[in-house]
Amino acid sequence: MAEENKVKLLGFWVSPYVRRVELALKLKGIPYEYVEEDLKNKSSLLLKYNPVSKKVPVLVHNGKPLTESLVILEYIDETWKNGPPLLPQDPYKRAQIRFWASFVHQQLFETWLSVLKSDGEVQEKALKEVLEKLSALEEGIKNIFPEGIQIIEHENVGLLDIVMISVFGPYKVHEEVLGLKLIDPEKTPLLFSWLTALLEIPVVKDSLPPHEKLVGVLKFIRHNALNPTSA
Amino acid sequence: MGEVKLHGTWPSAFSYRVIWSLKLKGVPYEYIEDLSNKSSLLLQLNPVHKKIPVLVHDGKPICESLIILEYIEEIWPHNPLLPTDPYERALARFWLKFAEEKCPAMWIAYRTSGEEQEKALKDTLEMLRAIEEHGLVGKKYFGGEKIGMVDIAFGQIAQWLGVIEEIVGVKLLEPQTFPRLHTWIKNFKEVPVIKENLPDRDEMLVVYKRLRERLLTSP
């Protein structure tokens, strides 16, 4: 039976989209082969498996490729029934999880990238938007964690936790690179305790890229964005 | 099964996604036209995005059209709009994500001008090419022999894109360049539930022309 479950993941270590798939595989205890892609020199394998967007992550299960991290997470949940479920059973709760996962994945992440890649007034505006969206998230997840958050067990880590960690797990790196507070325990106490609780779980903590390495990459990305002709 | 209400705005393509899904599954619902688009009821139901459509089932609001479609699929699983096989489902969801990310380009083309519009038109063409080359090969509908959630998600291309093309004065979907898509549009609009629930093209032209003028002249 083991040969019937060959899983390969094409990825790039900086990508939060890739990190979330890896975390899901690890949480479910699914063995996989990881292939690091050089995005400036994409492999023929990547181009074969994802001709539409040519992006990572690509999950290849028994030779069949899948792309789009959130789609992959739902596929993992539906295919490997052993291990903790990533989505709740109740359709309304599932809709809430999907809503906030999409919010973090698209809205929050994209606005945060604008903060990273800009300065001056543009950055100020983007930062204001990020903080507003973080407030909206803080409000919104009160329904998901009605009793607040103390400890999160390994088996209770779900899709939304995974998406949140993949984007904001390294928040201390973001704060260092940008010189500002992103996850303020006073302004967004629930988000702060949520991230803190998740980072206590070893497999989650290990999914974060090395601090210094990520600082270096983010500074590089920021520099290139602000000085396009000097690349 | 509980009371179902749909808050929408005519002729929003996103409202129609939900209407088509509910009708394909024979789910009775009450439609509430959200006239001002920022009514206090809407702000209560969708405080985050403040947009229609919002489905309210048993008093509980669900927002974002594609999330609503997945919810409808789970509550009323008969006449399935998604494949049952997890891999096929994941492929369908890829296209749903693609529609979510790429369809906005045609609306940006509609409400902008100059360089921004040029880029949006280019993005829309790219989207159409990807669908033509990879989405419809050997299939009558995205869903196979019957329409599914992906067809519904791309429904904007079947009717709204033509209106945008006319208003903006640019033809993007030429039948010779996009034969598969062209055939799909014909087939899609012939499905009885879709045929009976398409906004009138001339009426749409009036509304969208007027709205565009307001958008382009507003400060």
Side-chain angles (χ1 to χ4, degrees):
Chain A
M1 265 320 215
E3 310 91 276
E4 283 189 23
N5 264 320
K6 241 188 116 209
V7 178
K8 197 190 285 225
L9 175 63
L10 304 181
F12 180 54
W13 71 273
V14 178
S15 162
Y17 308 121
V18 172
R19 288 202 303 267
R20 66 179 67 137
V21 175
E22 274 206 285
L23 181 54
L25 290 169
K26 293 204 156 95
L27 282 164
K28 289 261 201 186
I30 300 165
Y32 64 97
E33 179 199 340
Y34 178 78
V35 177
E36 179 78 10
E37 282 283 331
D38 173 4
L39 295 183
K40 284 201 224 79
N41 190 16
K42 293 178 181 176
S43 72
S44 53
L45 204 64
L46 174 59
L47 299 175
K48 173 178 128 188
Y49 283 141
N50 188 2
V52 179
S53 66
K54 309 179 181 61
K55 292 201 275 201
V56 289
V58 178
L59 188 84
V60 189
H61 184 205
N62 293 333
K64 296 189 289 190
L66 282 174
T67 61
E68 285 303 313
S69 62
L70 295 181
V71 174
I72 295 172
L73 292 184
E74 295 224 23
Y75 174 78
I76 289 173
D77 200 37
E78 287 173 15
T79 308
W80 284 274
K81 295 289 187 189
N82 54 303
L86 299 180
L87 280 167
Q89 291 283 69
D90 174 67
Y92 185 69
K93 292 198 173 121
R94 288 162 80 90
Q96 282 183 295
I97 297 287
R98 284 179 177 135
F99 179 88
W100 290 111
S102 177
F103 185 79
V104 173
H105 160 81
Q106 198 164 2
Q107 300 254 351
L108 256 173
F109 184 57
E110 275 179 22
T111 318
W112 174 81
L113 269 181
S114 307
V115 175
L116 179 68
K117 292 179 169 178
S118 62
D119 58 8
E121 249 183 65
V122 177
Q123 190 191 49
E124 254 179 64
K125 188 162 169 275
L127 181 61
K128 189 163 164 282
E129 219 186 301
V130 167
L131 296 174
E132 274 168 13
K133 287 180 175 169
L134 284 172
S135 284
L137 182 62
E138 172 87 9
E139 263 316 297
I141 61 159
K142 282 181 179 159
N143 290 328
I144 298 172
F145 299 113
E147 273 127 60
I149 305 163
Q150 253 89 64
I151 298 177
I152 300 179
E153 305 286 346
H154 178 125
E155 331 50 271
N156 294 329
V157 177
L159 190 141
L160 182 57
D161 305 288
I162 293 172
V163 174
M164 188 65 183
I165 275 289
S166 69
V167 176
F168 289 110
Y171 74 90
K172 293 202 173 108
V173 171
H174 306 166
E175 290 179 347
E176 184 180 320
V177 169
L178 293 168
L180 42 79
K181 201 112 189 81
L182 205 58
I183 309 286
D184 191 330
E186 298 199 1
K187 298 209 177 110
T188 51
L190 197 57
L191 296 186
F192 183 80
S193 41
W194 185 18
L195 285 168
T196 306
L198 284 172
L199 290 168
E200 291 286 310
I201 305 168
V203 65
V204 173
K205 184 146 182 253
D206 292 342
S207 75
L208 261 51
H211 185 104
E212 284 314 314
K213 215 172 161 195
L214 190 61
V215 168
V217 168
L218 293 186
K219 279 188 168 155
F220 179 74
I221 292 174
R222 181 172 167 74
H223 175 85
N224 281 351
L226 296 176
N227 305 283
T229 52
S230 71
Chain B
M1 252 271 132
E3 206 185 32
V4 180
K5 294 189 189 184
L6 171 61
H7 293 255
T9 301
W10 189 90
S12 160
F14 304 98
S15 287
Y16 272 92
R17 283 175 172 172
V18 183
I19 290 170
W20 292 331
S21 303
L22 290 170
K23 289 216 187 264
L24 281 164
K25 290 183 182 264
V27 176
Y29 66 97
E30 181 194 344
Y31 177 78
I32 297 154
E33 177 74 21
D34 185 76
L35 294 162
S36 70
N37 199 35
K38 295 282 181 242
S39 67
S40 59
L41 178 61
L42 183 68
L43 296 180
Q44 229 177 64
L45 294 172
N46 189 357
V48 179
H49 297 303
K50 310 177 178 64
K51 289 199 282 207
I52 56 91
V54 180
L55 188 81
V56 185
H57 183 212
D58 268 338
K60 294 179 292 194
I62 300 116
C63 314
E64 293 297 291
S65 61
L66 295 183
I67 293 180
I68 295 172
L69 296 195
E70 294 255 15
Y71 177 82
I72 290 172
E73 183 70 10
E74 288 171 15
I75 299 280
W76 296 280
H78 59 277
N79 292 356
L81 298 173
L82 276 179
T84 40
D85 170 67
Y87 183 71
E88 298 295 320
R89 268 166 106 88
L91 289 180
R93 285 190 175 129
F94 166 82
W95 288 107
L96 292 176
K97 271 270 171 282
F98 184 86
E100 188 176 48
E101 267 172 53
K102 309 288 181 187
C103 282
M106 56 193 238
W107 295 103
I108 296 172
Y110 156 75
R111 52 170 201 267
T112 58
S113 55
E115 244 183 72
E116 216 184 327
Q117 189 188 55
E118 281 300 316
K119 179 166 187 295
L121 287 167
K122 196 165 153 277
D123 290 341
T124 308
L125 256 179
E126 258 177 51
M127 167 187 76
L128 296 173
R129 270 188 209 120
I131 300 171
E132 177 76 21
E133 267 165 63
H134 301 282
L136 280 168
V137 183
K139 293 202 285 197
K140 183 175 186 193
Y141 303 108
F142 292 97
E145 281 305 301
K146 289 197 324 183
I147 67 167
M149 213 181 275
V150 179
D151 300 272
I152 292 172
F154 282 127
Q156 310 176 43
I157 296 175
Q159 181 88 327
W160 284 256
L161 179 61
V163 171
I164 292 174
E165 284 173 324
E166 190 171 326
I167 292 175
V168 161
V170 180
K171 188 95 183 103
L172 294 169
L173 218 167
E174 302 272 14
Q176 324 78 281
T177 332
F178 299 100
R180 291 187 190 115
L181 256 173
H182 186 75
T183 308
W184 172 79
I185 290 174
K186 230 170 47 61
N187 289 332
F188 180 74
K189 297 214 287 203
E190 269 162 31
V191 174
V193 163
I194 306 297
K195 194 167 178 184
E196 288 154 28
N197 293 283
L198 267 179
D200 178 79
R201 204 171 180 277
D202 293 327
E203 287 176 38
M204 279 168 77
L205 264 169
V206 171
V207 168
Y208 282 120
K209 264 194 188 137
R210 201 189 317 133
L211 185 59
R212 184 168 192 257
E213 264 155 49
R214 265 214 318 265
L215 286 168
L216 290 180
T217 57
S218 68

